[in-house]
Amino acid sequence: MVANPGGGSTDAGGGPVRHIPVLLDEVLAALAPAPGKLILDGTFGAGGYSAAILAAGAEVIALDRDPTAIAAGQAMVAAHGGRLKLVHSQFSHLADHAPQGGLDGVVLDIGVSSMQIDEAERGFSFQKSGPLDMRMSAEGVSAADVVNRAKVADLIRIFHFLGEESQAPRIAHAIEKRRAEKPFETTRDLAGLIELVTPRKMKDKIHPATRVFQALRIFVNDELGELAQALFAAETALKPGGRLVVVTFHSLEDRIVKKFFSDRAGKASGSRHLPIAHERAATFAAIGKPMVSASEAEAEINPRARSAKLRAGLRTDAAAEAADMSLFGFPNLANLGKLGG
């Protein structure tokens, strides 16, 4: 998948950018697919990573929460004679699809795909008028439900934390006033209001609605929670020597991955001025550099790669640790389930 890089891109606006797997050579180098290995691609999308892994001789279990991606990938499944298994599932559940003996690798490419952005009916883009939807799975609470039902204080937190939007209070109060007269239904409806409230300045590199749309998309799909749960699931599902490779496109995502690998490096807890309180065995060892970014050449060919960051870890033989979400310090946001129609 090719994800929305957030503040440094206008992906939320859509555009005729074809699907190009980001950091493909670097992903393959870190993942080391080969004949006899079983790799799980947690974000199948258009199948870019899966195709390259299959070409290297490995077998692939691929997941995607988007039913349209599953349908579109059936031709690839048929073409590989049983070496590709495609499953409709969120990647937070990846351990449920791993064999008892474990996986040799897991790759996750975080975010929204270019295909989803380019389809107006999915509601991810404000450049094309469509329903205010943004649901990757086409199920559950939509962006319209959030915009029309969430309390102003919740909207402010969502826009501020997930979109890093400095004008969150102004935008949220304007939404409250407008929705009292008429509920928001389309992407252009919401984007138009944001343009009026926070007009674009000459120095601005992105559209005024970009960060709000990003925040809504992340919230509606629980993208940060999904990523955190997927990291814990990969720790459980990988066999010793297995490889976890994660490509992110936004600082919020990258911080989660960085914090996870740092925590799983087995550093002892306690102050340096006091005796070591607890010695922890590392569950992951670093693979290569701590972080790899796209080259200038790749970024020139594929602008969506500019903010991409790759982090990877090698699974040790230590037992998996508890899946403690407090590790990531997520703020308390609105209860998504209570905002549905």
Tab-separated table of all heavy atoms in Angstrom, residues 254-303:
chain	number	residue	atom	x	y	z
A	254	ASP	N	5.562	6.352	12.787
A	254	ASP	CA	6.977	6.023	12.976
A	254	ASP	C	7.346	6.004	14.449
A	254	ASP	O	8.143	5.156	14.892
A	254	ASP	CB	7.859	7.017	12.213
A	254	ASP	CG	9.336	6.686	12.357
A	254	ASP	OD1	9.728	5.562	11.980
A	254	ASP	OD2	10.091	7.538	12.866
A	255	ARG	N	6.784	6.909	15.234
A	255	ARG	CA	7.096	6.930	16.666
A	255	ARG	C	6.630	5.648	17.348
A	255	ARG	O	7.281	5.152	18.273
A	255	ARG	CB	6.462	8.153	17.332
A	255	ARG	CG	7.202	9.441	17.069
A	255	ARG	CD	6.825	10.518	18.063
A	255	ARG	NE	5.455	10.985	17.917
A	255	ARG	CZ	5.099	12.008	17.161
A	255	ARG	NH1	6.014	12.655	16.443
A	255	ARG	NH2	3.834	12.398	17.097
A	256	ILE	N	5.491	5.119	16.912
A	256	ILE	CA	4.986	3.864	17.484
A	256	ILE	C	5.950	2.724	17.195
A	256	ILE	O	6.305	1.937	18.079
A	256	ILE	CB	3.580	3.546	16.924
A	256	ILE	CG1	2.562	4.549	17.459
A	256	ILE	CG2	3.161	2.117	17.284
A	256	ILE	CD1	1.211	4.454	16.785
A	257	VAL	N	6.387	2.614	15.943
A	257	VAL	CA	7.297	1.539	15.549
A	257	VAL	C	8.646	1.692	16.249
A	257	VAL	O	9.221	0.716	16.759
A	257	VAL	CB	7.482	1.514	14.025
A	257	VAL	CG1	8.438	0.388	13.611
A	257	VAL	CG2	6.135	1.336	13.323
A	258	LYS	N	9.154	2.915	16.285
A	258	LYS	CA	10.437	3.171	16.949
A	258	LYS	C	10.364	2.808	18.425
A	258	LYS	O	11.275	2.181	18.978
A	258	LYS	CB	10.812	4.650	16.774
A	258	LYS	CG	12.129	5.028	17.409
A	258	LYS	CD	12.434	6.503	17.194
A	258	LYS	CE	13.750	6.903	17.831
A	258	LYS	NZ	14.042	8.351	17.623
A	259	LYS	N	9.280	3.198	19.080
A	259	LYS	CA	9.114	2.911	20.510
A	259	LYS	C	9.009	1.405	20.754
A	259	LYS	O	9.559	0.885	21.733
A	259	LYS	CB	7.873	3.626	21.039
A	259	LYS	CG	7.681	3.529	22.551
A	259	LYS	CD	6.578	4.459	23.033
A	259	LYS	CE	7.013	5.907	22.967
A	259	LYS	NZ	6.030	6.821	23.626
A	260	PHE	N	8.311	0.702	19.863
A	260	PHE	CA	8.170	-0.744	20.013
A	260	PHE	C	9.522	-1.437	19.927
A	260	PHE	O	9.877	-2.239	20.802
A	260	PHE	CB	7.227	-1.294	18.940
A	260	PHE	CG	7.124	-2.797	18.926
A	260	PHE	CD1	6.325	-3.463	19.846
A	260	PHE	CD2	7.841	-3.546	18.004
A	260	PHE	CE1	6.237	-4.853	19.849
A	260	PHE	CE2	7.759	-4.933	17.998
A	260	PHE	CZ	6.953	-5.591	18.919
A	261	PHE	N	10.282	-1.144	18.882
A	261	PHE	CA	11.578	-1.806	18.720
A	261	PHE	C	12.541	-1.432	19.847
A	261	PHE	O	13.327	-2.259	20.316
A	261	PHE	CB	12.193	-1.472	17.364
A	261	PHE	CG	11.656	-2.306	16.225
A	261	PHE	CD1	11.205	-1.715	15.058
A	261	PHE	CD2	11.613	-3.688	16.321
A	261	PHE	CE1	10.723	-2.482	14.006
A	261	PHE	CE2	11.126	-4.466	15.278
A	261	PHE	CZ	10.684	-3.865	14.114
A	262	SER	N	12.476	-0.185	20.295
A	262	SER	CA	13.329	0.233	21.405
A	262	SER	C	12.975	-0.522	22.678
A	262	SER	O	13.855	-1.001	23.415
A	262	SER	CB	13.181	1.743	21.626
A	262	SER	OG	13.931	2.169	22.752
A	263	ASP	N	11.680	-0.665	22.944
A	263	ASP	CA	11.229	-1.381	24.139
A	263	ASP	C	11.594	-2.854	24.069
A	263	ASP	O	11.962	-3.461	25.069
A	263	ASP	CB	9.718	-1.229	24.280
A	263	ASP	CG	9.176	-1.932	25.510
A	263	ASP	OD1	9.337	-1.375	26.615
A	263	ASP	OD2	8.627	-3.045	25.373
A	264	ARG	N	11.510	-3.448	22.867
A	264	ARG	CA	11.765	-4.881	22.712
A	264	ARG	C	13.252	-5.195	22.552
A	264	ARG	O	13.630	-6.353	22.363
A	264	ARG	CB	11.016	-5.402	21.497
A	264	ARG	CG	9.587	-5.909	21.715
A	264	ARG	CD	8.864	-5.450	22.921
A	264	ARG	NE	7.580	-6.136	23.047
A	264	ARG	CZ	6.631	-5.813	23.885
A	264	ARG	NH1	6.801	-4.792	24.695
A	264	ARG	NH2	5.515	-6.505	23.952
A	265	ALA	N	14.110	-4.189	22.661
A	265	ALA	CA	15.548	-4.417	22.536
A	265	ALA	C	16.152	-4.990	23.815
A	265	ALA	O	17.354	-5.260	23.867
A	265	ALA	CB	16.259	-3.115	22.169
A	266	GLY	N	15.328	-5.130	24.871
A	266	GLY	CA	15.775	-5.786	26.084
A	266	GLY	C	16.566	-4.913	27.023
A	266	GLY	O	17.337	-5.406	27.846
A	267	LYS	N	16.377	-3.600	26.923
A	267	LYS	CA	17.085	-2.707	27.827
A	267	LYS	C	16.576	-2.907	29.247
A	267	LYS	O	15.388	-3.051	29.485
A	267	LYS	CB	16.865	-1.250	27.396
A	267	LYS	CG	17.445	-0.952	26.018
A	267	LYS	CD	17.141	0.478	25.607
A	267	LYS	CE	17.701	0.748	24.217
A	267	LYS	NZ	17.377	2.124	23.752
A	268	ALA	N	17.501	-2.874	30.177
A	268	ALA	CA	17.131	-3.060	31.575
A	268	ALA	C	16.370	-1.851	32.085
A	268	ALA	O	16.639	-0.719	31.685
A	268	ALA	CB	18.364	-3.291	32.425
A	269	SER	N	15.393	-2.070	32.941
A	269	SER	CA	14.630	-0.975	33.507
A	269	SER	C	15.302	-0.466	34.772
A	269	SER	O	16.130	-1.127	35.372
A	269	SER	CB	13.199	-1.431	33.821
A	269	SER	OG	13.237	-2.482	34.761
A	270	GLY	N	14.939	0.758	35.188
A	270	GLY	CA	15.493	1.342	36.401
A	270	GLY	C	16.421	2.499	36.103
A	270	GLY	O	16.937	2.640	35.004
A	271	SER	N	16.678	3.347	37.082
A	271	SER	CA	17.536	4.516	36.939
A	271	SER	C	19.000	4.101	36.870
A	271	SER	O	19.418	3.095	37.458
A	271	SER	CB	17.317	5.463	38.118
A	271	SER	OG	18.325	6.445	38.157
A	272	ARG	N	19.810	4.895	36.190
A	272	ARG	CA	21.243	4.601	36.110
A	272	ARG	C	21.922	4.836	37.459
A	272	ARG	O	23.056	4.418	37.677
A	272	ARG	CB	21.901	5.465	35.025
A	272	ARG	CG	21.841	6.961	35.264
A	272	ARG	CD	22.355	7.712	34.048
A	272	ARG	NE	22.247	9.154	34.187
A	272	ARG	CZ	23.206	9.917	34.707
A	272	ARG	NH1	24.327	9.367	35.135
A	272	ARG	NH2	23.040	11.233	34.791
A	273	HIS	N	21.246	5.535	38.355
A	273	HIS	CA	21.798	5.812	39.679
A	273	HIS	C	21.437	4.729	40.695
A	273	HIS	O	21.890	4.772	41.832
A	273	HIS	CB	21.287	7.164	40.190
A	273	HIS	CG	21.639	8.309	39.294
A	273	HIS	ND1	22.934	8.718	39.092
A	273	HIS	CD2	20.865	9.119	38.540
A	273	HIS	CE1	22.958	9.745	38.250
A	273	HIS	NE2	21.704	10.000	37.904
A	274	LEU	N	20.598	3.783	40.293
A	274	LEU	CA	20.137	2.746	41.201
A	274	LEU	C	20.454	1.367	40.625
A	274	LEU	O	20.707	1.233	39.417
A	274	LEU	CB	18.621	2.868	41.422
A	274	LEU	CG	18.138	4.164	42.093
A	274	LEU	CD1	16.612	4.226	42.041
A	274	LEU	CD2	18.631	4.234	43.534
A	275	PRO	N	20.432	0.345	41.433
A	275	PRO	CA	20.651	-1.014	40.909
A	275	PRO	C	19.602	-1.377	39.868
A	275	PRO	O	18.470	-0.895	39.913
A	275	PRO	CB	20.500	-1.895	42.159
A	275	PRO	CG	20.781	-0.983	43.308
A	275	PRO	CD	20.265	0.364	42.878
A	276	ILE	N	19.970	-2.222	38.927
A	276	ILE	CA	19.044	-2.654	37.883
A	276	ILE	C	17.853	-3.368	38.522
A	276	ILE	O	18.019	-4.309	39.314
A	276	ILE	CB	19.740	-3.587	36.869
A	276	ILE	CG1	20.808	-2.801	36.096
A	276	ILE	CG2	18.728	-4.201	35.916
A	276	ILE	CD1	21.631	-3.671	35.164
A	277	ALA	N	16.662	-2.907	38.181
A	277	ALA	CA	15.459	-3.460	38.805
A	277	ALA	C	14.989	-4.728	38.116
A	277	ALA	O	14.454	-5.620	38.758
A	277	ALA	CB	14.357	-2.406	38.777
A	278	HIS	N	15.219	-4.788	36.818
A	278	HIS	CA	14.665	-5.937	36.089
A	278	HIS	C	15.426	-6.107	34.780
A	278	HIS	O	15.511	-5.182	33.986
A	278	HIS	CB	13.181	-5.714	35.808
A	278	HIS	CG	12.548	-6.833	35.028
A	278	HIS	ND1	12.544	-8.127	35.459
A	278	HIS	CD2	11.899	-6.836	33.840
A	278	HIS	CE1	11.918	-8.895	34.579
A	278	HIS	NE2	11.519	-8.137	33.584
A	279	GLU	N	15.981	-7.272	34.590
A	279	GLU	CA	16.706	-7.572	33.355
A	279	GLU	C	15.728	-8.204	32.366
A	279	GLU	O	15.054	-9.182	32.695
A	279	GLU	CB	17.845	-8.545	33.641
A	279	GLU	CG	18.826	-8.681	32.500
A	279	GLU	CD	19.749	-7.488	32.364
A	279	GLU	OE1	20.100	-6.883	33.389
A	279	GLU	OE2	20.091	-7.150	31.211
A	280	ARG	N	15.639	-7.636	31.172
A	280	ARG	CA	14.696	-8.132	30.175
A	280	ARG	C	15.433	-8.707	28.981
A	280	ARG	O	16.371	-8.097	28.468
A	280	ARG	CB	13.777	-7.001	29.697
A	280	ARG	CG	12.858	-6.444	30.770
A	280	ARG	CD	12.168	-5.186	30.290
A	280	ARG	NE	11.411	-5.418	29.065
A	280	ARG	CZ	11.063	-4.456	28.221
A	280	ARG	NH1	11.423	-3.207	28.455
A	280	ARG	NH2	10.365	-4.735	27.148
A	281	ALA	N	14.974	-9.851	28.527
A	281	ALA	CA	15.560	-10.454	27.336
A	281	ALA	C	14.999	-9.769	26.096
A	281	ALA	O	13.793	-9.504	26.009
A	281	ALA	CB	15.230	-11.945	27.301
A	282	ALA	N	15.846	-9.463	25.149
A	282	ALA	CA	15.404	-8.821	23.911
A	282	ALA	C	14.575	-9.790	23.086
A	282	ALA	O	14.935	-10.953	22.918
A	282	ALA	CB	16.606	-8.351	23.104
A	283	THR	N	13.449	-9.314	22.579
A	283	THR	CA	12.655	-10.135	21.658
A	283	THR	C	12.948	-9.785	20.199
A	283	THR	O	12.599	-10.549	19.299
A	283	THR	CB	11.144	-9.963	21.920
A	283	THR	OG1	10.791	-8.585	21.771
A	283	THR	CG2	10.786	-10.424	23.330
A	284	PHE	N	13.585	-8.623	19.964
A	284	PHE	CA	14.004	-8.236	18.618
A	284	PHE	C	15.407	-7.645	18.657
A	284	PHE	O	15.754	-6.906	19.587
A	284	PHE	CB	13.050	-7.191	18.022
A	284	PHE	CG	11.774	-7.752	17.481
A	284	PHE	CD1	10.620	-7.759	18.249
A	284	PHE	CD2	11.713	-8.287	16.201
A	284	PHE	CE1	9.433	-8.277	17.760
A	284	PHE	CE2	10.533	-8.814	15.702
A	284	PHE	CZ	9.389	-8.816	16.481
A	285	ALA	N	16.193	-7.975	17.646
A	285	ALA	CA	17.495	-7.354	17.426
A	285	ALA	C	17.413	-6.526	16.152
A	285	ALA	O	16.649	-6.842	15.234
A	285	ALA	CB	18.582	-8.422	17.286
A	286	ALA	N	18.178	-5.464	16.091
A	286	ALA	CA	18.110	-4.562	14.942
A	286	ALA	C	18.616	-5.232	13.672
A	286	ALA	O	19.525	-6.063	13.698
A	286	ALA	CB	18.925	-3.301	15.221
A	287	ILE	N	18.010	-4.841	12.562
A	287	ILE	CA	18.478	-5.257	11.239
A	287	ILE	C	18.975	-4.013	10.526
A	287	ILE	O	18.206	-3.104	10.223
A	287	ILE	CB	17.353	-5.904	10.416
A	287	ILE	CG1	16.868	-7.190	11.071
A	287	ILE	CG2	17.828	-6.188	8.986
A	287	ILE	CD1	15.695	-7.834	10.352
A	288	GLY	N	20.262	-3.944	10.266
A	288	GLY	CA	20.815	-2.797	9.535
A	288	GLY	C	20.693	-1.499	10.320
A	288	GLY	O	20.736	-1.478	11.550
A	289	LYS	N	20.507	-0.410	9.589
A	289	LYS	CA	20.366	0.902	10.212
A	289	LYS	C	19.066	0.961	11.011
A	289	LYS	O	18.084	0.305	10.665
A	289	LYS	CB	20.350	1.991	9.147
A	289	LYS	CG	21.633	2.115	8.335
A	289	LYS	CD	21.495	3.223	7.296
A	289	LYS	CE	22.759	3.365	6.475
A	289	LYS	NZ	22.620	4.437	5.444
A	290	PRO	N	19.016	1.787	12.081
A	290	PRO	CA	17.778	1.917	12.862
A	290	PRO	C	16.602	2.388	12.022
A	290	PRO	O	15.460	2.001	12.257
A	290	PRO	CB	18.142	2.958	13.921
A	290	PRO	CG	19.625	2.869	14.047
A	290	PRO	CD	20.122	2.552	12.668
A	291	MET	N	16.884	3.234	11.017
A	291	MET	CA	15.821	3.743	10.143
A	291	MET	C	16.379	3.981	8.752
A	291	MET	O	17.495	4.471	8.588
A	291	MET	CB	15.248	5.047	10.710
A	291	MET	CG	14.007	5.570	10.006
A	291	MET	SD	14.411	6.594	8.555
A	291	MET	CE	15.072	8.063	9.369
A	292	VAL	N	15.603	3.598	7.749
A	292	VAL	CA	15.980	3.803	6.344
A	292	VAL	C	14.902	4.641	5.676
A	292	VAL	O	13.710	4.373	5.848
A	292	VAL	CB	16.128	2.454	5.608
A	292	VAL	CG1	16.449	2.684	4.140
A	292	VAL	CG2	17.204	1.595	6.274
A	293	SER	N	15.303	5.663	4.944
A	293	SER	CA	14.356	6.503	4.206
A	293	SER	C	14.576	6.351	2.716
A	293	SER	O	15.578	5.770	2.269
A	293	SER	CB	14.493	7.968	4.621
A	293	SER	OG	15.821	8.420	4.424
A	294	ALA	N	13.649	6.873	1.940
A	294	ALA	CA	13.727	6.751	0.484
A	294	ALA	C	14.867	7.611	-0.067
A	294	ALA	O	15.171	8.684	0.458
A	294	ALA	CB	12.403	7.173	-0.146
A	295	SER	N	15.470	7.147	-1.129
A	295	SER	CA	16.524	7.907	-1.790
A	295	SER	C	15.926	9.081	-2.548
A	295	SER	O	14.714	9.121	-2.815
A	295	SER	CB	17.279	7.011	-2.774
A	295	SER	OG	16.418	6.620	-3.845
A	296	GLU	N	16.754	10.042	-2.886
A	296	GLU	CA	16.279	11.183	-3.662
A	296	GLU	C	15.737	10.724	-5.007
A	296	GLU	O	14.762	11.276	-5.517
A	296	GLU	CB	17.407	12.200	-3.854
A	296	GLU	CG	17.819	12.914	-2.587
A	296	GLU	CD	18.858	13.994	-2.844
A	296	GLU	OE1	19.121	14.286	-4.041
A	296	GLU	OE2	19.412	14.536	-1.881
A	297	ALA	N	16.374	9.715	-5.581
A	297	ALA	CA	15.934	9.205	-6.885
A	297	ALA	C	14.541	8.607	-6.790
A	297	ALA	O	13.686	8.855	-7.652
A	297	ALA	CB	16.923	8.160	-7.395
A	298	GLU	N	14.265	7.822	-5.748
A	298	GLU	CA	12.940	7.228	-5.595
A	298	GLU	C	11.894	8.293	-5.319
A	298	GLU	O	10.787	8.247	-5.855
A	298	GLU	CB	12.929	6.194	-4.474
A	298	GLU	CG	11.546	5.558	-4.290
A	298	GLU	CD	11.494	4.443	-3.268
A	298	GLU	OE1	12.534	4.158	-2.658
A	298	GLU	OE2	10.406	3.859	-3.083
A	299	ALA	N	12.237	9.262	-4.459
A	299	ALA	CA	11.296	10.326	-4.132
A	299	ALA	C	10.952	11.152	-5.364
A	299	ALA	O	9.828	11.661	-5.492
A	299	ALA	CB	11.872	11.217	-3.040
A	300	GLU	N	11.889	11.281	-6.277
A	300	GLU	CA	11.635	12.028	-7.503
A	300	GLU	C	10.645	11.281	-8.387
A	300	GLU	O	9.758	11.876	-8.993
A	300	GLU	CB	12.957	12.240	-8.261
A	300	GLU	CG	12.834	13.089	-9.520
A	300	GLU	CD	12.511	14.539	-9.234
A	300	GLU	OE1	12.847	15.018	-8.128
A	300	GLU	OE2	11.923	15.201	-10.117
A	301	ILE	N	10.785	9.966	-8.445
A	301	ILE	CA	9.892	9.137	-9.263
A	301	ILE	C	8.528	8.992	-8.600
A	301	ILE	O	7.483	9.049	-9.252
A	301	ILE	CB	10.514	7.738	-9.485
A	301	ILE	CG1	11.809	7.868	-10.294
A	301	ILE	CG2	9.524	6.815	-10.190
A	301	ILE	CD1	12.588	6.569	-10.383
A	302	ASN	N	8.526	8.810	-7.289
A	302	ASN	CA	7.300	8.562	-6.529
A	302	ASN	C	7.226	9.537	-5.355
A	302	ASN	O	7.769	9.266	-4.275
A	302	ASN	CB	7.271	7.114	-6.017
A	302	ASN	CG	5.981	6.778	-5.288
A	302	ASN	OD1	5.027	7.559	-5.303
A	302	ASN	ND2	5.953	5.619	-4.654
A	303	PRO	N	6.552	10.688	-5.509
A	303	PRO	CA	6.494	11.698	-4.446
A	303	PRO	C	5.962	11.161	-3.122
A	303	PRO	O	6.307	11.681	-2.062
A	303	PRO	CB	5.552	12.757	-5.028
A	303	PRO	CG	5.671	12.597	-6.506
A	303	PRO	CD	5.857	11.129	-6.733
